[in-house]
Amino acid sequence: MTQYKPVPSHLDVPSIAGKFKPEKSQPYIHRLRFQASLNRLTIWSLCFLTLIILVFLLSPSSLPTSSVDSTRHSIQTTNWGGPAWERRVRSSARVRSRSGLTVLVTGAAGFVGSHVSISLKQRGDGVVGLDNFNSYYDVGLKKSRRNLLNRSGVFIVEGDINDHLLLQKLFDVVAFTHVMHLAAQAGVRYAMQNPNSYIHSNVAGFVTLLDVCKSANPQPAIVWASSSSVYGLNSKVPFSEKDRTDHPASLYAATKKAAEGIAHSYNHIYGLSITGLRFFTVYGPWGRPDMAYFFFTRDILKGKAITIFEGSNHQTVARDFTYIDDVVKGCLAAVDTSKKSTGSGGKKKGAAQLRIFNLGNTSPVPVSNLVSILEKLLKVKARKKFMALPRNGDVPFTHANISLAEIELGYKPTTDLEGGLKKFVKWYLSYYKKKSAW
């Protein structure tokens, strides 16, 4: 009878008989093969299950809250909606003048956003605000601005501009004629610490907003805040809207430059009327604590040393400081001169308006002069230390050419730096005196 050799396997039990008969060995081999296959299947299943668990544990949603970006809320918010909420939105959007507009202001609890919202409301426009109240700087200051807006009749919806459902709901409730898009992650230096927040707000958030606007019927006209930082390392002065802007010196500047390209695309494809405003170092009451004039004031009063950066040849950094009231006038003029969008429900029907303007003061001032003015107003001598300008995205100077805004918007700044800082210091001393009394 033919002899068969056993099938070698690392799972086989060693045999003490050297030979096997076919009629007895075959079922036994089948059982061994089945057992081997079952064990291999079990091992692969366990490996796959382990992989799924690892992916889940390492996913962003399962990370501790300390490792997640704490400067913004979750994209989808739940504190909106319902009949009472809709009534507040409609009431805030109610036009009070015959020629009034209905404006959605994003970043309404911010520095420029709060001033623009109040100015629009005071002249009879309907205004609804949107802000996520992130913690990039003192949230208490933003809430104080919200209180001002509430007293002016402006309701601020708390939410993220990346929340598509929320934006869509707002447009379902109110047929906005205009959007003043001022929400953004600001600050040049902070981008080195938290780059993702800039992409989230300045790029992704802008796309989400434009996507909702292009699908609206009717489409609103859009005015939005770009930045003088797009001029980057340009050496030609003053900066003109015709200058190249493809050498940004910071991630913040790069996101604003990217947003200008995105605006062009939505204008070209969907017929959205879009106006971009390049702000130049806006300052004034209710300003941002991360701005030099603001924290210089705080530190001078506390007796802390302030750092003044110097460029080449020991020249101090210079900025085209622009007072908030002048910027607000430019923003409102941009709204008033905006033409209607030409699309409907996401379909373009003709060429639409696309503009970009500088909003500056045309008078660059060395930061050392800014400090001297603050010393005079505060009646306190500053402790100064001078350092070379670090490579963190800051540029040595800014200087706006505003001739285009003068012609098309009637824009004409009237506040010099000393006059504007006098108003800021008066507000600062009053606001923080009240806070300390609390």
Side-chain angles (χ1 to χ4, degrees):
M1 185 177 292
T2 305
Q3 300 291 325
Y4 288 88
K5 295 182 179 179
V7 177
S9 170
H10 67 283
L11 295 176
D12 287 346
V13 179
S15 174
I16 57 173
K19 300 177 182 179
F20 296 85
K21 293 183 180 180
E23 62 273 11
K24 293 183 179 179
S25 62
Q26 199 65 29
Y28 177 71
I29 291 171
H30 288 170
R31 286 196 302 273
L32 289 175
R33 286 174 174 169
F34 176 77
Q35 184 179 355
S37 299
L38 184 60
N39 288 337
R40 280 195 294 269
L41 180 61
T42 302
I43 290 172
W44 281 112
S45 299
L46 288 173
C47 291
F48 184 70
L49 181 60
T50 302
L51 181 62
I52 291 175
I53 293 172
L54 286 172
V55 169
F56 175 79
L57 290 175
L58 294 176
S59 66
S61 61
S62 63
L63 290 174
T65 55
S66 60
S67 65
V68 178
D69 177 13
S70 62
T71 65
R72 63 178 187 261
H73 294 179
S74 61
I75 290 178
Q76 291 195 356
T77 51
T78 56
N79 58 342
W80 57 269
W85 179 86
E86 290 186 19
R87 281 195 296 272
R88 291 195 68 184
V89 170
R90 289 194 182 97
S91 175
S92 187
R94 190 172 298 124
V95 174
R96 305 288 180 178
S97 68
R98 183 173 298 178
S99 58
L101 309 173
T102 308
V103 188
L104 172 65
V105 181
T106 70
F111 174 33
V112 179
S114 57
H115 282 271
V116 169
S117 297
I118 290 174
S119 295
L120 288 168
K121 194 70 175 179
Q122 286 177 342
R123 72 179 197 175
D125 294 326
V127 182
V128 176
L130 176 66
D131 204 292
N132 69 350
F133 292 87
N134 70 34
S135 56
Y136 168 63
Y137 63 80
D138 181 18
V139 176
L141 180 58
K142 298 178 182 181
K143 291 181 177 179
S144 294
R145 295 188 193 123
R146 178 172 62 184
N147 293 337
L148 283 178
L149 291 165
N150 283 338
R151 290 197 290 272
S152 298
V154 177
F155 175 50
I156 297 184
V157 175
E158 186 168 354
D160 196 300
I161 55 171
N162 279 284
D163 190 339
H164 192 282
L165 292 177
L166 170 56
L167 291 176
Q168 185 62 63
K169 182 64 176 179
L170 285 169
F171 275 86
D172 289 343
V173 174
V174 176
F176 293 104
T177 61
H178 292 75
V179 172
M180 175 64 72
H181 177 50
L182 300 172
Q185 175 58 62
V188 169
R189 300 172 196 171
Y190 183 60
M192 299 179 70
Q193 303 174 39
N194 191 357
N196 288 337
S197 65
Y198 288 78
I199 305 301
H200 173 84
S201 296
N202 302 356
V203 179
F206 192 36
V207 170
T208 303
L209 176 66
L210 291 177
D211 208 53
V212 172
C213 289
K214 61 95 173 171
S215 299
N217 194 5
Q219 293 176 336
I222 300 164
V223 178
W224 74 284
S226 185
S227 169
S228 63
S229 67
V230 299
Y231 292 110
L233 302 175
N234 284 12
S235 57
K236 171 186 165 293
V237 290
F239 299 155
S240 168
E241 293 91 345
K242 296 179 182 179
D243 293 342
R244 293 181 63 176
T245 55
D246 51 3
H247 293 95
S250 66
L251 178 63
Y252 169 70
T255 60
K256 287 297 187 178
K257 171 62 178 175
E260 289 187 0
I262 290 167
H264 180 277
S265 297
Y266 272 81
N267 166 267
H268 174 69
I269 298 171
Y270 300 109
L272 285 173
S273 171
I274 304 179
T275 301
L277 304 175
R278 293 173 178 168
F279 295 157
F280 281 72
T281 316
V282 187
Y283 73 99
W286 296 98
R288 281 180 17 219
D290 64 320
M291 299 291 285
Y293 73 93
F294 200 113
F295 61 75
F296 279 175
T297 299
R298 178 195 65 208
D299 291 346
I300 289 172
L301 288 172
K302 290 183 177 180
K304 295 175 63 176
I306 61 173
T307 300
I308 300 175
F309 292 125
E310 295 181 322
S312 58
N313 301 321
H314 298 287
Q315 293 180 337
T316 60
V317 168
R319 291 288 181 267
D320 198 342
F321 294 101
T322 314
Y323 189 63
I324 182 62
D325 289 358
D326 292 326
V327 167
V328 169
K329 291 175 185 175
C331 290
L332 268 58
V335 168
D336 292 339
T337 58
S338 292
K339 294 181 179 179
K340 292 183 178 181
S341 294
T342 62
S344 177
K347 294 182 179 180
K348 178 180 176 180
K349 295 182 179 179
Q353 185 182 56
L354 180 67
R355 306 179 296 173
I356 193 82
F357 297 107
N358 289 336
L359 292 188
N361 198 44
T362 74
S363 302
V365 178
V367 172
S368 56
N369 290 20
L370 165 76
V371 174
S372 297
I373 295 171
L374 287 175
E375 288 177 317
K376 175 184 174 182
L377 295 171
L378 297 170
K379 299 178 181 179
V380 178
K381 190 69 176 175
R383 293 173 52 210
K384 310 167 198 170
K385 58 181 180 180
F386 295 87
M387 290 181 58
L389 186 66
R391 307 193 75 172
N392 58 7
D394 276 324
V395 294
F397 60 87
T398 59
H399 185 182
N401 179 336
I402 61 169
S403 57
L404 187 62
E406 286 178 330
I407 295 170
E408 296 200 25
L409 304 181
Y411 173 73
K412 187 176 182 180
T414 58
T415 309
D416 64 11
L417 183 58
E418 184 165 356
L421 285 176
K422 185 176 182 179
K423 295 176 182 178
F424 165 74
V425 167
K426 181 180 180 180
W427 167 83
Y428 183 96
L429 295 175
S430 173
Y431 178 76
Y432 285 99
K433 182 179 180 180
K434 289 178 182 177
K435 275 196 82 173
S436 62
W438 298 342

